[in-house]
Amino acid sequence: MREGEVEGIRALWAEVPGPAVACLSFRVGQSDEQLTQRGITHLCEHLALSHVGMRQYGFNGSTGTTVTSFIVQGEPHEVASHLSELTATLRSGRFLDRLEHERRILEIEGRTRGHNVVSDHLNCRYGARSHGLVGWDELGLHRIDRDDVWRWAATHFSYDNAVLWFSTPPPEGLDLQLFEAPRNTAAPPEPLVTLLPAWTHRNGPAAITGLVQRSVSSAAATALIGRRCFDWLRNQSGLSYSPMTDYVRLDGDTALMTVAADGPPEHGAAAAWALWAAVDSIATDGPTEAELAEYKEGSRRSEEGPHAAIGEMEARADSMLHSKAVKTGEELSAEIAAITPESVREVAGAIRDSAMVQLPLEAEPPGWDLVAFAEADNPTAFGANAVERRAYIDVENWSGGEALLYSNNVVALESIPRSHAVEISPATVVIAHGDGSRAIIDEAGRTLTLRPTAWEMGNQIVSWLDQLIPKERIITVATRPVAPTGTAAAALRTVAGFGTTASPVARDPQHLGPIVLDAWIQQALPPGVPESRRHLPGAFMLGWLAHRALTSKWFEEWIPDTLAAFREGRLPPSTLYRVAGEQLVTDLVAPHAACFVADLMVPPQENAPSRYDELLTQAAGGRSHWTLTEQQHLPAVWALLDADWGTRPRPGSEAIGRLLSPEAPSLPVPPSRCQPVS
Amino acid sequence: MKLRRGQEQAAPNGNHPTIDVDPFIGDDEMRGAVDALAAGSWREAEKLIEDRPHPMEWSLLRDSVPTAVIEAWARTEPSARSLSLLGATYVRDAWEIRTASRAEDVDPSRWRGFLSKLEQAETILRWVAATWRDAPEPWAPMLDTCRGLEMGQNEARARFANLQRRSPFHPSGCASMLQSLCHKWGGSHEAMFEFARWVDQNAPADSPAREVLPVAHIEYLLSEDLSTREYFAQPHVVQELAGSAERFLTAIPDYPPPAHVPALNAYTICAFPVDARTARLAGELFRRIGDRATPFPWNRFDSDLGIVFASTRVQRLEAAQRFL
């Protein structure tokens, strides 16, 4: 294996039989991003390849936690031209022309990407920062612009920050153009301080993750734990079809070990216990000599394979990117040969000490010595001189005793018996939805969603939040996945609330002024639903209200150009919805229009179609409306809405006022077994 | 005066014997620690209590020093001990907010403050447990927060297992675990007695944790609203408690240090003279205690510690005379 410099980039190469393979890697990944930039590295990776098109040779790009790689396999000249082309694309800035295209591609990719054990647990361990960002949607795609992307590329896709390896001598014709920027030496921060080991209920299989320092012993411990899990769960008990083991390199120092067991939820607790027993037994007694010898023999065999050199180059490139000591294949082999049961036992002990044990939602909580997982350092609004607001979303919530408290340091939803709070700090990020709701996310990853219409004078809270959080940390996202529920009266309060001119005691909507429309999308979209359906019905309703001039005069004054473009048919309702969400959160529609919308959107009974659903089906000629696209059924549905609006009697000022201002019942004492302690 | 739960006693009118209750039960060192802490001399206080992990000392500190002082200590000298004590103090504050009324009588507005304070304590204690991984200190008050926040029996057992691993038969932890297993906290009499007997049979003979056995009997009779005298006179109860108390008395010094005094008080409540053996036992228990009455578990019967202790002593010793 040779090491040197190719085109100004640190490089490794070896003579490996088969087609030529090359990999260009950069020391930048998801954990280098901020939540407001989440996805920017992935976007750069896509953009670098966006001009390549369809080719006969194989290629791909990948974005990891700290490394982004471009790999290509083909004839040597194809490898050379591919790498030259993608670096030229990056360096020239040509890729920026494809920004919107790739942004859309990534948004679609993001929706197909499910969360998994690794991303969920990294999120729990690191919060909304560093490695924890792996578990977050690519929210940055909603706000990053050309300048952001260019700056990110110029900072990270540089000669000094790259390592290249080839399975052949460096091919002729390479012309690699990168940026001039220093090597990225950023060290990801430590995990949040949380009490581990702990168990947690999650939507997923029985699983355990643990953090380890990267070493050959750690890889061995992971493999040996996995082997025991497989033996116990598959071969002996038959509880799982394919227990899996994973060893994810997070950065130059740290790795995450994962063992998981598929299988029916009713066996989740037993499977989790078996996984834990495997970790615990090796952490207590170490592996047997036979187990370790078998592992070493397997490693030795893989070192003798024809492609072992590629694995070695990958490992050495990773060390070079992370500025770690580079070990030769011989040195690694010697380290593996020197692994002892004791060194494996120590690593397993570290895994046990940092373990998060996941049980499927349906599984009973364990009765072992594991405590329940809790988020790190949960803040509280108690004693924070917080302003208090009462919920009036519906009568049920009143009696739940819920209150929203907010101060400059914390926003808390307090209820009996549990409260939930997020911290307001320079790292806090807010997601602004098109319907005026706001999701507050603090550095630890705690999230609290605020709907202005769900709280007394809720608009004031949202306005306060918009002033408090700097604009660069507000991400505007059009839709919010919730569905309206409740009784007819509660439903109106779900979709509509007081405007800024409202008095909480006023009963006459003439005195209330315009009110907010709180729109939504359906919570669970069936498979095959077209993309445009995601923006419905909130966008449609706003569009129809704007079309019928049922929005407030402020709405008309604030975004006149957008409204004009919309009414001329140049903008779809979803764009109008998004612009409205960016511009305003208050004073949107007239009370009687909100009342109409509430009546239209809320099913009369649970699991029954709403009037809006019926209209969609009607407009689709009796076929399932899910298959319709926005363009196809918009005029038809609006015509039906117009007809409904024309025939439906107005409820009258007094009725609307009554619905909007329910009597708040007194709070009952919650049932409790609480007794005084001595 | 008879031991009757919840019955307010008349003010002393000269007929009731009483004692001067010393909250420090004669422990001048602890009195000095509290004074030092209150004066802001954290180091001096820490030195004084360095090797004294018994709950008696903890509760004395917790109950004698204002929250603000503990907060200042924890801020100035953050350690597993100072922060755990802060957590324990917040638990105390939570119950002050809630008051000791029955759940249905608690003012609704107090519930939120109670639960917020407990969550505050839980947050601090979890942080301490995660930071000082070998420290037993946070785990005992974490059993209290677990109970107050109604996290369930499994969680309590898990926390106790963690405490037991770090500090076997931690007196405060055992006492708190017993409460968690009580019927009134969602447990059962069976689970409570099973735990108490496990401690009694496995803890060192001089362990203050052994108080959980007499406390379990007290909890049972209070829960079932039984007559104290009749319950403690039953042969199987006498057999179990007298045997346990005798083993304890044999193992501890003739003049027991403060750490053993709460357990002595618990055994004493259960010691009704019904024969020569129990008469001797009651006399011995009162002799070892002297005037060092502790609020728990006497406060389960009466709020005036001095009167209930002294009156009970007079009655029991008089009764004992009949068998000696």
Side-chain angles (χ1 to χ4, degrees):
Chain A
M1 186 174 299
R2 301 278 304 278
E3 183 175 339
E5 196 172 289
V6 173
E7 295 283 304
I9 300 170
R10 291 171 290 165
L12 302 160
W13 63 92
E15 302 260 4
V16 181
V21 183
C23 182
L24 174 61
S25 299
F26 298 89
R27 170 52 198 93
V28 62
Q30 295 152 333
S31 58
D32 295 297
E33 301 169 350
Q34 306 286 320
L35 185 59
T36 50
Q37 302 168 305
R38 179 73 186 92
I40 194 169
T41 315
H42 193 193
L43 182 58
C44 286
E45 176 239 299
H46 268 233
L47 287 168
L49 294 169
S50 65
H51 286 77
V52 177
M54 302 290 285
R55 298 295 164 95
Q56 292 303 310
Y57 57 86
F59 68 92
N60 203 357
S62 65
T63 305
T65 51
T66 54
V67 174
T68 297
S69 297
F70 300 94
I71 193 161
V72 55
Q73 176 178 327
E75 296 298 324
H77 72 274
E78 290 171 330
V79 167
S81 66
H82 177 82
L83 293 178
S84 303
E85 194 176 344
L86 84 86
T87 57
T89 303
L90 270 174
R91 184 66 184 85
S92 67
R94 218 158 43 94
F95 68 93
L96 292 173
D97 298 341
R98 302 272 295 174
L99 182 63
E100 292 311 316
H101 175 87
E102 290 302 331
R103 195 199 302 267
R104 277 198 303 277
I105 298 286
L106 286 181
E107 283 179 358
I108 295 167
E109 183 186 341
R111 279 193 283 278
T112 61
R113 189 187 309 126
H115 285 226
N116 55 42
V117 173
V118 171
S119 60
D120 277 358
H121 287 210
L122 285 174
N123 182 14
C124 292
R125 292 172 184 275
Y126 289 89
R129 72 207 224 295
S130 72
H131 301 319
L133 290 174
V134 175
W136 288 82
D137 291 340
E138 293 178 326
L139 294 169
L141 297 178
H142 294 284
R143 66 173 297 279
I144 46 187
D145 57 20
R146 289 168 66 97
D147 288 348
D148 296 325
V149 174
W150 176 251
R151 207 176 301 119
W152 191 259
T155 306
H156 296 101
F157 294 94
S158 70
Y159 291 105
D160 287 351
N161 204 34
V163 171
L164 189 56
W165 60 257
F166 301 97
S167 68
T168 62
E172 296 291 324
L174 272 177
D175 179 17
L176 304 183
Q177 299 171 38
L178 293 172
F179 296 92
E180 297 286 352
R183 194 182 295 185
N184 180 5
T185 55
E190 293 291 306
L192 301 167
V193 179
T194 47
L195 183 52
L196 296 172
W199 70 272
T200 178
H201 267 142
R202 302 269 155 183
N203 186 13
I208 295 179
T209 60
L211 285 177
V212 289
Q213 290 293 303
R214 283 178 56 181
S215 69
V216 291
S217 293
S218 297
T222 303
L224 291 168
I225 289 168
R227 193 174 297 197
R228 277 199 189 175
C229 293
F230 190 90
D231 186 37
W232 292 352
L233 285 164
R234 167 77 190 248
N235 298 339
Q236 294 187 30
S237 65
L239 289 178
S240 176
Y241 168 66
S242 57
M244 74 78 141
T245 312
D246 200 7
Y247 180 79
V248 180
R249 294 181 296 208
L250 297 180
D251 52 52
D253 299 313
T254 318
L256 186 80
M257 185 237 49
T258 307
V259 283
D262 59 352
E266 60 267 28
H267 292 157
W273 166 249
L275 298 174
W276 175 250
V279 172
D280 189 51
S281 61
I282 294 187
T284 304
D285 302 321
T288 62
E289 293 288 353
E291 284 175 321
L292 189 55
E294 204 175 324
Y295 172 78
K296 288 182 181 178
E297 175 59 18
S299 299
R300 191 188 61 74
R301 286 186 193 178
S302 66
E303 285 163 19
E304 289 174 351
H307 295 96
I310 289 182
E312 186 185 334
M313 284 193 291
E314 279 176 343
R316 289 176 70 168
D318 190 82
S319 297
M320 291 160 75
L321 286 168
H322 291 102
S323 306
K324 298 293 171 190
V326 177
K327 291 172 183 165
T328 64
E330 292 75 25
E331 287 170 329
L332 282 171
S333 298
E335 282 190 11
I336 292 170
I339 296 173
T340 62
E342 178 58 21
S343 66
V344 173
R345 192 188 66 75
E346 278 179 18
V347 173
I351 292 170
R352 183 177 60 186
D353 287 350
S354 63
M356 268 188 73
V357 179
Q358 170 174 306
L359 284 92
L361 292 176
E362 300 85 350
E364 286 285 309
W368 336 321
D369 59 348
L370 283 177
V371 296
F373 175 78
E375 290 169 336
D377 194 20
N378 191 29
T380 171
F382 187 79
N385 299 319
V387 181
E388 182 176 321
R389 291 282 183 266
R390 307 295 305 189
Y392 76 118
I393 180 169
D394 60 32
V395 174
E396 285 74 24
N397 274 4
W398 264 108
S399 58
E402 240 175 21
L404 182 79
L405 294 97
Y406 59 104
S407 72
N408 283 352
N409 302 320
V410 72
V411 177
L413 192 59
E414 297 224 326
S415 59
I416 294 172
R418 305 292 291 183
S419 61
H420 180 68
V422 292
E423 193 179 9
I424 302 293
S425 75
T428 303
V429 170
V430 164
I431 299 177
H433 291 287
D435 60 6
S437 64
R438 297 287 184 267
I440 312 166
I441 305 166
D442 66 14
E443 200 176 16
R446 291 174 289 253
T447 304
L448 195 149
T449 300
L450 270 177
R451 294 176 51 249
T453 57
W455 303 96
E456 281 179 310
M457 313 292 279
N459 299 329
Q460 289 181 0
I461 309 171
V462 171
S463 302
W464 161 80
L465 199 61
D466 287 350
Q467 287 173 20
L468 189 70
I469 305 296
K471 204 170 177 55
E472 62 271 19
R473 284 193 283 113
I474 297 179
I475 303 168
T476 303
V477 179
T479 52
R480 180 172 58 85
V482 294
T485 55
T487 60
L492 176 58
R493 293 189 293 278
T494 302
V495 296
F498 297 123
T500 51
T501 56
S503 157
V505 293
R507 284 301 181 93
D508 185 350
Q510 302 303 320
H511 299 138
L512 297 178
I515 59 179
V516 174
L517 172 72
D518 187 10
W520 59 87
I521 65 168
Q522 295 288 337
Q523 195 159 26
L525 295 176
V529 173
E531 171 51 25
S532 59
R533 190 67 181 83
R534 280 192 167 270
H535 297 282
L536 301 177
F540 260 48
M541 293 317 304
L542 182 65
W544 178 76
L545 291 164
H547 173 67
R548 293 292 310 224
L550 290 167
T551 47
S552 76
K553 62 179 179 180
W554 293 281
F555 186 76
E556 303 281 340
E557 284 171 8
W558 286 347
I559 49 172
D561 297 341
T562 307
L563 279 172
F566 168 75
R567 284 168 180 153
E568 288 164 14
R570 290 188 280 117
L571 283 183
S574 54
T575 306
L576 171 71
Y577 184 60
R578 184 168 177 149
V579 172
E582 288 171 1
Q583 297 290 325
L584 49 91
V585 295
T586 58
D587 303 340
L588 209 54
V589 294
H592 61 278
C595 201
F596 172 69
V597 172
D599 205 20
L600 202 68
M601 306 302 247
V602 180
Q605 294 168 354
E606 201 176 352
N607 299 325
S610 67
R611 177 70 183 135
Y612 179 76
D613 287 325
E614 287 171 357
L615 291 177
L616 286 184
T617 309
Q618 195 179 334
R623 296 186 308 275
S624 167
H625 63 261
W626 298 112
T627 57
L628 292 173
T629 65
E630 188 173 335
Q631 288 75 20
Q632 283 169 336
H633 79 291
L634 180 145
V637 177
W638 278 11
L640 292 167
L641 284 177
D642 279 346
D644 254 40
W645 173 252
T647 57
R648 194 166 304 196
R650 294 193 179 185
S653 298
E654 200 180 328
I656 295 173
R658 239 188 347 264
L659 288 170
L660 286 171
S661 306
E663 293 295 329
S666 61
L667 300 176
V669 177
S672 172
R673 296 187 307 277
C674 292
Q675 292 290 329
V677 291
S678 46
Chain B
M1 174 176 289
K2 290 179 180 173
L3 283 182
R4 291 191 66 97
R5 183 194 186 190
Q7 183 180 341
E8 285 299 320
Q9 301 299 323
N13 53 13
N15 296 330
H16 290 307
T18 186
I19 59 166
D20 289 331
V21 175
D22 175 8
F24 293 98
I25 51 173
D27 186 347
D28 292 334
E29 208 172 35
M30 184 51 61
R31 200 191 311 272
V34 168
D35 289 345
L37 205 55
S41 305
W42 330 122
R43 292 267 164 83
E44 193 183 339
E46 185 135 37
K47 197 176 161 196
L48 282 165
I49 58 173
E50 204 159 48
D51 298 316
R52 308 180 61 170
H54 187 265
M56 186 68 212
E57 279 116 32
W58 273 78
S59 56
L60 277 177
L61 277 182
R62 192 191 63 189
D63 297 342
S64 309
V65 183
T67 305
V69 173
I70 307 278
E71 281 173 339
W73 179 26
R75 220 175 11 250
T76 314
E77 301 276 343
S79 67
R81 175 171 290 166
S82 63
L83 284 160
S84 299
L85 188 60
L86 180 61
T89 307
Y90 283 162
V91 173
R92 176 202 68 187
D93 292 348
W95 281 97
E96 278 182 10
I97 292 169
R98 182 198 178 279
T99 72
S101 308
R102 296 172 68 87
E104 53 270 36
D105 300 330
V106 174
D107 184 324
S109 65
R110 291 180 173 271
W111 279 109
R112 193 186 303 160
F114 169 68
L115 294 163
S116 292
K117 207 69 189 169
L118 281 183
E119 292 228 347
Q120 222 176 336
E122 169 78 3
T123 300
I124 290 171
L125 294 165
R126 271 184 173 270
W127 189 83
V128 175
T131 306
W132 288 276
R133 297 187 65 86
D134 296 327
E137 284 92 342
W139 289 95
M142 273 171 66
L143 280 163
D144 297 331
T145 52
C146 175
R147 195 164 60 249
L149 293 169
E150 300 192 45
M151 294 179 184
Q153 299 279 306
N154 279 347
E155 180 68 11
R157 287 182 190 277
R159 290 176 183 216
F160 181 76
N162 274 277
L163 176 61
Q164 179 73 0
R165 198 158 54 236
R166 290 164 176 81
S167 176
F169 301 105
H170 189 282
S172 177
C174 288
S176 191
M177 186 63 199
L178 188 88
Q179 289 295 322
S180 301
L181 294 170
C182 283
H183 182 260
K184 67 187 176 191
W185 282 106
S188 65
H189 296 323
E190 292 75 20
M192 176 183 72
F193 276 117
E194 185 188 20
F195 175 76
R197 287 172 182 138
W198 172 78
V199 173
D200 189 59
Q201 287 157 21
N202 293 282
D206 65 343
S207 170
R210 294 160 62 91
E211 76 170 18
V212 294
L213 185 64
V215 171
H217 282 280
I218 292 168
E219 291 293 350
Y220 177 76
L221 87 91
L222 292 177
S223 167
E224 298 297 306
D225 206 17
L226 304 173
S227 152
T228 314
R229 175 186 289 276
E230 285 170 18
Y231 178 77
F232 286 122
Q234 297 175 93
H236 70 279
V237 176
V238 169
Q239 182 68 21
E240 177 167 68
L241 285 170
S244 173
E246 284 162 358
R247 285 195 299 278
F248 185 62
L249 286 170
T250 309
I252 63 174
D254 191 60
Y255 183 77
H260 290 127
V261 175
L264 285 174
N265 277 266
Y267 278 120
T268 305
I269 286 179
C270 308
F272 271 84
V274 292
D275 55 20
R277 179 193 184 191
T278 49
R280 276 196 300 276
L281 181 62
E284 182 63 9
L285 285 164
F286 278 114
R287 186 183 73 78
R288 300 268 189 119
I289 292 174
D291 281 348
R292 295 182 293 171
T294 54
F296 183 81
W298 293 101
N299 57 8
R300 303 305 308 276
F301 299 93
D302 196 283
S303 56
D304 193 323
L305 175 59
I307 292 178
V308 70
F309 176 80
S311 305
T312 306
R313 183 166 61 182
V314 168
Q315 288 167 5
R316 297 278 177 91
L317 294 181
E318 278 176 9
Q321 288 302 319
R322 293 202 296 275
F323 303 104
L324 295 175

